[in-house]
Amino acid sequence: MEGKDLCAVERRGRVHLITITGAGDHRLNPALLAAIRSAVAASAGAGALVLAAEGKYFSNGFDQAWVRTAPPHLHATMDGGFRALVADLLALPMPTVAAVTGHAAAAGCALALAHDAVVMRGSRGFLYMSEVDAGIKIVDFFAELIREKVPDAAARRDLVLRGDKMTAAEAARRGIVDAAVDGGVEDVVAAAVAEAERLAARGWDGEVLAEIRKAAWPKVWGQVKDHGAGPAAARPRL
């Protein structure tokens, strides 16, 4: 599929809304990662960014079917593409909000946590780091992202070492997501857009915000910074 068929982009007020399209489980492969990165790069001039998805999945992680069929010399492009996307989000000169509209597993969970704020659907979906159940070693910067974004040691243990599937209510109670939202997909997106608008209204200097973000999560930034698009273009104050 072409990138434009994988993601839809719209502007809601000051918010740049990216939606991963389709009813599938939105497995992250080089094509989808490139489409999301392109949509993120198109956010210039916005006040904040929201990433959402259609269907019952936010993202079910890396595309293992692609790995099984792609030539081995291309396998690194998936890991590199994901690192680049995380680098883009950390360096973005505006607030970012993940609208977790459905299940977010493995790399999909990490993608959600790479945003400044996470709003999650209360009636469907869970956060799930599936590596321990799947018998797959956790990627180094995933571990750093979980360590830096999940404040409680017991919550990190349950997520990474026990493979708990955390509902929105549980994740909110444990400080992993910011809000559990009742209703359907559009209710979650609307709540995420409202949070993004609230953050945009603060009028922060985007370049300063990006530098603070990198400093707040230095180990993650150190492991992804060489993969991203580099410094974003300067954006005027809101």
Side-chain angles (χ1 to χ4, degrees):
M1 296 177 70
E2 297 292 333
K4 65 180 182 296
D5 298 319
L6 298 173
C7 290
V9 175
E10 63 178 293
R11 191 64 62 89
R12 295 192 185 180
R14 287 173 291 186
V15 177
H16 183 77
L17 172 61
I18 303 168
T19 303
I20 304 172
T21 56
D25 57 356
H26 308 309
R27 292 275 184 173
L28 298 170
N29 53 42
L32 179 54
L33 289 165
I36 300 172
R37 291 193 68 205
S38 178
V40 170
S43 65
L49 178 143
V50 169
L51 177 64
E54 296 177 343
K56 72 175 186 177
Y57 287 92
F58 177 75
S59 171
N60 206 19
F62 280 148
D63 189 344
Q64 299 302 328
W66 180 88
V67 172
R68 290 191 292 271
T69 58
H73 70 278
L74 293 180
H75 289 181
T77 62
M78 190 162 65
D79 175 80
F82 189 80
R83 288 178 191 259
L85 175 55
V86 173
D88 292 347
L89 290 170
L90 293 180
L92 199 67
M94 65 187 71
T96 62
V97 182
V100 181
T101 45
H103 304 307
C109 179
L111 176 58
L113 295 179
H115 291 74
D116 299 335
V118 183
V119 175
M120 188 174 175
R121 186 177 178 183
S123 60
R124 170 178 285 180
F126 46 72
L127 299 181
Y128 176 39
M129 291 300 291
S130 59
E131 285 81 356
V132 68
D133 290 331
I136 300 173
K137 293 180 181 179
I138 194 166
V139 179
D140 55 359
F141 75 98
F142 280 24
E144 290 296 346
L145 185 63
I146 297 297
R147 184 178 296 111
E148 294 186 355
K149 287 298 191 96
V150 178
D152 180 69
R156 289 197 301 271
R157 175 202 64 199
D158 293 347
L159 196 61
V160 175
L161 291 176
R162 295 184 176 178
D164 284 2
K165 296 179 179 179
M166 292 191 183
T167 64
E170 178 71 3
R173 184 183 70 81
R174 303 185 78 166
I176 300 172
V177 306
D178 296 277
V181 178
D182 293 331
V185 169
E186 189 51 45
D187 296 297
V188 180
V189 173
V193 169
E195 174 63 9
E197 282 279 14
R198 186 186 71 80
L199 294 172
R202 299 292 298 273
W204 294 319
D205 182 292
E207 296 301 325
V208 171
L209 174 64
E211 291 304 315
I212 290 173
R213 192 187 285 127
K214 296 171 193 176
W217 298 290
K219 291 184 178 179
V220 174
W221 175 243
Q223 292 177 340
V224 302
K225 64 181 180 180
D226 293 334
H227 297 264
R235 180 177 64 86
R237 292 181 65 89
L238 301 174

